[in-house]
Amino acid sequence: MPTTRVILLLITALILAPAGVVSAENSTATNGVTPAFKHIGKLAFGPDGVIFAADGQDVSITALLLGDQMNGGVPGTKDVQAIDQKIASVLGIDVAKLLITDMVVDPNTRNTYLSVMRGMGADAMPVLLRVDGAGTIKVISLDEVRYSRIGAPNPPPAETPLVLSDGRSIPVANYPDQVDPAGLIGVQTITHMAFVDGELYVSGMSNEEFASKMRVISYPFETADEGTSVEIYHGSHGQLETFSPVFTFVPYEIDGEPSIVASYLCTPLVTFPVAALKSGSKVQGTTIAEFGNRNRPIDMIVYEKNGKDYLLMSNNQRGVMKIPTEPFSDAAAIDHHVPDTGGVPFETIESLDGVRQLDLLDSSHAMLLVELDGRMNLQAVVLP
Amino acid sequence: MLMAAAAFAPACAQAPETVGREAQIRLTVTSEGSRTVDVEGLPSEDLAFLARATLSPDEWAAILRVEVASDEPSLDEDEWPAVLGVTAVSNGVLRFTPRFHFDPGQRYDVVFDPSSLPSAHSAAASSPLKLLHAVVEVPAPVHVASTHVVEVYPSGPEVPENHLRLYLVFSGPMSSSGGGAQVRLIDDQGQPVPDPFLPLELELWNEDRTRFTVLYDPGRVKRGIRPNEEMGRALVEGRTYTLVVGTDWRDAAGQPLVSEFRHEFRVGSPEERAIDPAEWTLELPAPGTRQPLAAVFSRPLDYGLLHRALRVVAEGGPLLDGVIRVEQGETRWVFTPRASWQAGEYHLVAAPSLEDVAGNRIGRPFEVASSNGQPLHGAEGASLPFRLPGLAGDHAVSEEYNPEIR
């Protein structure tokens, strides 16, 4: 067998082809009734009567047209102590076999929705629940519920055209399905979703790549190709730039410009304009704050108090932070080393400890899922 | 307390005898194979009353209540909610059908309270029904621990100091019970390395939950950012570490791992350069055979990505179908085609997503010098052309392969 060192001739690639060139698998929305989930993870509210639910195993997003099922509960959400144990009781399992994957508040009824996995093993079942103003825990039946599902929003397109130096293009499969008998295709996990003005923004994290991907998908779903998939970079302290997965984000207008305020794994707060989210573009985010060591953001909400906007962010290590957004518009990018935390000012809300999920309940309250003494409590607090 | 025996026989096809028989709670298997909780032996007047009744879920639960048995007292004045299900008269019994199947191995408290039923107030009843309480349990299938860690990737003896990601491969599907805490790193003094890995609530698995991705804390890996400056990298060049996976990580059947897994490795200098495919070497097959094509790399590449980011394309043709093997500490990629190689031009093509174990890509290192707001230079794909000469006798063929430069 001859062995040789091959001279590398051609190294030009289009990383992201323009929409229409690429034929992505699962790119067309499927519609039907009675959706089945393998896994239920992140949730987001869409237009009236729609809730988006991400399937982390199937890597799809399903718009559930719950319609009137969203009504009928007592408006609001009553605090429920040991909500995890009570959900486990309703579902007929020990609480140790329950995994709460997300919590969101319906902006219309102010009822709280929780996505959970019932069981840990091969027989684990996804369940969507609602808690209303009387504290009643209701399993949302998906029987006969109309849905629209779009698949694989985060993986790269099925093929990447590799453009050779002589202008020819070779399609390269990113997810070859014929030569992958071991099922080792990379799986993407959806880390956050938010719906604004007809667009669903989705961030994800891969089990094989560290790059950050955000996708913008128009709703009603048509094809995934109509969205964009961009890699987002951010400066890290001066000399180096890197990529990192986005964990949570909020759409927010900064100086009248629709923007995304995103929290990353290790350089938490970054802003970039929505207009930059164009197919094939690489977005350079501006790092405006850093929030400490071994800290991972969980959720963010924006609220108004006394005429000023604030960001409330829950973290797995550093509690809940209140961040005035006023300085965002002229915040200087962090381009130098900061000794502890740096960038825009923030305040840690000491009274809020163990917050695992966070959403806006109404104009003056946040809904929290708080871990305390090994139990999860559903609890509303006055916005700080 | 009455312990109801778990009954496995299908429910009786006809109504059970009700006269002269004590009411009792039984766990039953229906003809459809699902398990229900039945109250048998009820007087016919009660069954008739219940069959006609239109009751709310709470009112049904006041008569027949199934709860997860718990030693935990409720925190507040509320009792634990009843298990969700439907109660109805069926085949001469009062039947509770759970919305979700009873969990094998889980005990359930069942209370039947007949105080609101007609027979409780009937003068004709010779012996009024009593409140019944039973604990029922669907036996858990007998499992023995059988799953173990098969391999860790990178599998080689050395990783760079800025190692970013490793994979644990299990012999069978695992649960989602949060086993990441079972992964520990021990240094060459036998001391645990504090906080080497990224704590993630979500878990990164492959589709069949046999491969788990572990990320080193990127804040410590990346140069110049605070976690790195405060704690340094978890791995230090020149030292030896042992990756330990504890047994208390449940597989899909809820069983612990068979044995602890240990993997010792050395730490070399950080790898901060982009992948350069010009450093790769190809071992070419003979045309007319199904001999493997091998690519040998100058450093270990990411095990997961090697299975999908490297492909062989025939000149002007489609991707070649074949089987990929990754060998020698992920420094060697071997492709065996399904069909014999034909003489001609080929490309070994690397997708832009290919990374090494430190997250470096082709044309773009994991960390690059600041571009001061200019568009960043992204990762690139690569194409390595090679030619398999025609079979001997077709035309003059050199013994030595020489890559053609175009």
Side-chain angles (χ1 to χ4, degrees):
Chain A
M1 187 179 294
T3 298
T4 185
R5 172 158 296 202
V6 171
I7 298 169
L8 187 69
L9 297 172
L10 310 157
I11 42 172
T12 311
L14 277 179
I15 293 174
L16 291 154
V21 175
V22 174
S23 60
E25 279 183 49
N26 302 320
S27 59
T28 305
T30 53
N31 302 301
V33 293
T34 316
F37 283 83
K38 291 177 182 165
H39 177 275
I40 189 164
K42 294 296 167 191
L43 303 173
F45 277 93
D48 286 351
V50 169
I51 186 167
F52 297 105
D55 186 328
Q57 197 164 329
D58 200 31
V59 198
S60 61
I61 295 171
T62 304
L64 299 168
L65 285 69
L66 291 181
D68 284 345
Q69 265 211 91
M70 284 197 171
N71 304 316
V74 177
T77 302
K78 186 183 172 189
D79 287 4
V80 180
Q81 291 192 63
I83 182 77
D84 54 343
Q85 202 134 12
K86 285 173 180 157
I87 291 172
S89 295
V90 169
L91 303 182
I93 52 167
D94 187 90
V95 68
K97 292 186 175 178
L98 182 82
L99 191 65
I100 299 176
T101 53
D102 204 10
M103 180 209 82
V104 290
V105 177
D106 179 351
N108 294 321
T109 65
R110 309 292 174 188
N111 291 160
T112 295
Y113 286 73
L114 295 136
S115 50
V116 308
M117 290 300 291
R118 179 194 187 268
M120 298 284 178
D123 58 350
M125 297 170 76
V127 182
L128 182 65
L129 301 117
R130 181 184 76 196
V131 181
D132 71 5
T136 303
I137 299 168
K138 178 183 165 62
V139 171
I140 301 295
S141 170
L142 299 183
D143 290 347
E144 301 302 317
V145 164
R146 286 191 299 128
Y147 72 94
S148 177
R149 174 172 290 171
I150 196 149
N154 280 307
E159 292 179 343
T160 300
L162 194 71
V163 180
L164 305 182
S165 54
D166 61 5
R168 289 174 303 149
S169 172
I170 296 178
V172 181
N174 289 316
Y175 283 75
D177 52 8
Q178 293 177 319
V179 291
D180 192 27
L184 293 166
I185 290 172
V187 172
Q188 304 260 337
T189 301
I190 291 166
T191 55
H192 195 72
M193 298 190 291
F195 182 77
V196 185
D197 295 338
E199 309 276 12
L200 184 66
Y201 295 79
V202 184
S203 61
M205 181 171 181
S206 162
N207 68 340
E208 291 183 347
E209 298 167 50
F210 203 62
S212 187
K213 296 269 172 64
M214 272 202 84
R215 191 158 192 109
V216 190
I217 306 168
S218 294
Y219 182 82
F221 295 149
E222 290 177 17
T223 64
D225 286 351
E226 293 192 348
T228 57
S229 175
V230 297
E231 296 191 13
I232 296 156
Y233 298 84
H234 58 89
S236 74
H237 320 244
Q239 303 312 307
L240 298 167
E241 283 167 344
T242 184
F243 37 53
S244 176
V246 168
F247 246 90
T248 186
F249 61 88
V250 285
Y252 184 67
E253 262 188 29
I254 300 176
D255 264 357
E257 177 161 37
S259 300
I260 298 285
V261 181
S263 260
Y264 285 66
L265 262 185
C266 49
T267 307
L269 210 57
V270 175
T271 65
F272 47 88
V274 165
L277 294 172
K278 293 271 190 282
S279 185
S281 65
K282 294 194 181 306
V283 178
Q284 168 80 39
T286 305
T287 305
I288 59 168
E290 280 190 86
F291 299 117
N293 213 346
R294 282 190 63 71
N295 189 30
R296 191 179 78 58
I298 298 174
D299 273 320
M300 286 197 286
I301 55 173
V302 173
Y303 66 97
E304 186 191 322
K305 188 164 186 172
N306 300 330
K308 291 191 173 176
D309 282 359
Y310 297 91
L311 197 66
L312 197 65
M313 181 165 82
S314 59
N315 301 278
N316 68 339
Q317 296 288 329
R318 293 209 169 199
V320 173
M321 295 165 179
K322 176 186 177 183
I323 308 154
T325 63
E326 199 171 12
F328 284 13
S329 54
D330 52 3
I334 293 181
D335 57 0
H336 59 282
H337 174 71
V338 283
D340 185 24
T341 53
V344 296
F346 68 93
E347 171 191 355
T348 301
I349 310 299
E350 301 292 346
S351 59
L352 299 179
D353 197 26
V355 176
R356 296 287 166 258
Q357 300 282 346
L358 165 72
D359 202 4
L360 193 66
L361 177 62
D362 56 36
S363 59
S364 56
H365 293 84
M367 180 52 66
L368 310 177
L369 191 65
V370 180
E371 188 173 355
L372 185 69
D373 300 330
R375 280 180 159 151
M376 293 281 195
N377 298 325
L378 196 62
Q379 181 187 340
V381 294
V382 174
L383 286 163
Chain B
M1 183 183 293
L2 169 69
M3 281 293 285
F8 296 103
C12 297
Q14 57 190 25
E17 192 62 47
T18 58
V19 179
R21 188 176 149 187
E22 290 253 322
Q24 61 173 330
I25 295 168
R26 289 174 67 87
L27 186 66
T28 306
V29 180
T30 66
S31 52
E32 291 84 36
S34 59
R35 287 195 167 85
T36 60
V37 166
D38 293 356
V39 183
E40 299 176 350
L42 291 180
S44 53
E45 62 177 320
D46 289 344
L47 286 172
F49 167 79
L50 290 167
R52 285 193 309 270
T54 48
L55 304 179
S56 70
D58 284 348
E59 289 166 333
W60 277 115
I63 298 169
L64 178 59
R65 182 178 181 85
V66 180
E67 271 184 36
V68 172
S70 173
D71 300 329
E72 292 266 325
S74 179
L75 268 184
D76 46 25
E77 71 280 4
D78 303 337
E79 52 190 351
W80 295 124
V83 174
L84 189 63
V86 173
T87 307
V89 173
S90 172
N91 288 332
V93 301
L94 182 63
R95 170 164 293 171
F96 173 82
T97 306
R99 168 75 176 269
F100 302 95
H101 62 79
F102 287 125
D103 191 29
Q106 174 66 53
R107 291 177 303 120
Y108 297 91
D109 279 327
V110 184
V111 175
F112 172 66
D113 181 353
S115 59
S116 64
L117 300 186
S119 67
H121 311 288
S122 164
S126 53
S127 56
L129 289 172
K130 297 186 182 107
L131 187 130
L132 297 178
H133 178 206
V135 177
V136 300
E137 177 179 345
V138 177
V142 177
H143 289 294
V144 291
S146 61
T147 308
H148 60 279
V149 177
V150 179
E151 186 58 276
V152 59
Y153 297 98
S155 61
E158 184 174 300
V159 299
E161 192 183 80
N162 56 341
H163 184 200
L164 186 64
R165 173 176 48 230
L166 58 91
Y167 301 103
L168 296 171
V169 178
F170 295 85
S171 61
M174 296 294 289
S175 73
S176 55
S177 59
Q182 292 299 311
V183 187
R184 309 191 310 277
L185 197 62
I186 309 287
D187 69 15
D188 44 15
Q189 306 298 310
Q191 297 301 308
V193 177
D195 303 328
F197 304 119
L198 185 67
L200 281 177
E201 278 75 19
L202 58 90
E203 297 188 334
L204 301 170
W205 289 96
N206 66 344
E207 282 181 307
D208 62 1
R209 302 187 71 86
T210 56
R211 199 191 71 191
F212 184 77
T213 303
V214 180
L215 290 171
Y216 282 91
D217 185 344
R220 296 183 63 180
V221 171
K222 292 176 178 182
R223 288 172 291 162
I225 72 172
R226 219 161 26 71
N228 172 275
E229 301 208 340
E230 286 175 6
M231 301 179 74
R233 283 174 170 154
L235 303 175
V236 177
E237 182 179 353
R239 295 186 67 175
T240 299
Y241 296 84
T242 303
L243 181 79
V244 181
V245 182
T247 56
D248 194 17
W249 192 343
R250 303 289 158 158
D251 67 12
Q255 296 302 303
L257 300 178
V258 173
S259 54
E260 186 180 83
F261 176 83
R262 298 177 81 87
H263 171 75
E264 190 179 291
F265 59 93
R266 288 190 312 275
V267 174
S269 54
E271 181 54 83
E272 285 156 352
R273 300 168 299 158
I275 298 172
D276 183 1
E279 296 175 352
W280 298 355
T281 302
L282 295 188
E283 294 172 6
L284 300 183
T289 72
R290 289 184 59 236
Q291 287 175 354
L293 167 77
V296 181
F297 315 123
S298 50
R299 68 176 86 157
L301 300 183
D302 183 89
Y303 173 80
L305 292 167
L306 279 174
H307 285 85
R308 66 176 168 95
L310 268 187
R311 304 302 307 280
V312 182
V313 187
E315 180 75 37
L319 291 173
L320 264 58
D321 192 5
V323 175
I324 292 166
R325 282 202 324 276
V326 176
E327 300 176 342
Q328 295 181 8
E330 298 77 66
T331 60
R332 184 180 164 90
W333 181 89
V334 180
F335 175 79
T336 305
R338 293 209 195 282
S340 297
W341 296 100
Q342 305 297 309
E345 308 282 337
Y346 294 88
H347 295 267
L348 174 67
V349 180
S353 55
L354 185 65
E355 293 180 6
D356 67 11
V357 301
N360 300 302
R361 293 183 168 193
I362 297 169
R364 190 192 193 286
F366 182 55
E367 298 181 288
V368 295
S370 173
S371 59
N372 293 321
Q374 297 304 306
L376 277 156
H377 184 54
E380 297 168 334
S383 168
L384 281 72
F386 62 93
R387 187 171 61 137
L388 300 182
L391 294 170
D394 286 355
H395 51 80
V397 173
S398 164
E399 284 295 307
E400 289 297 312
Y401 164 71
N402 291 308
E404 182 187 343
I405 300 173
R406 288 174 289 186

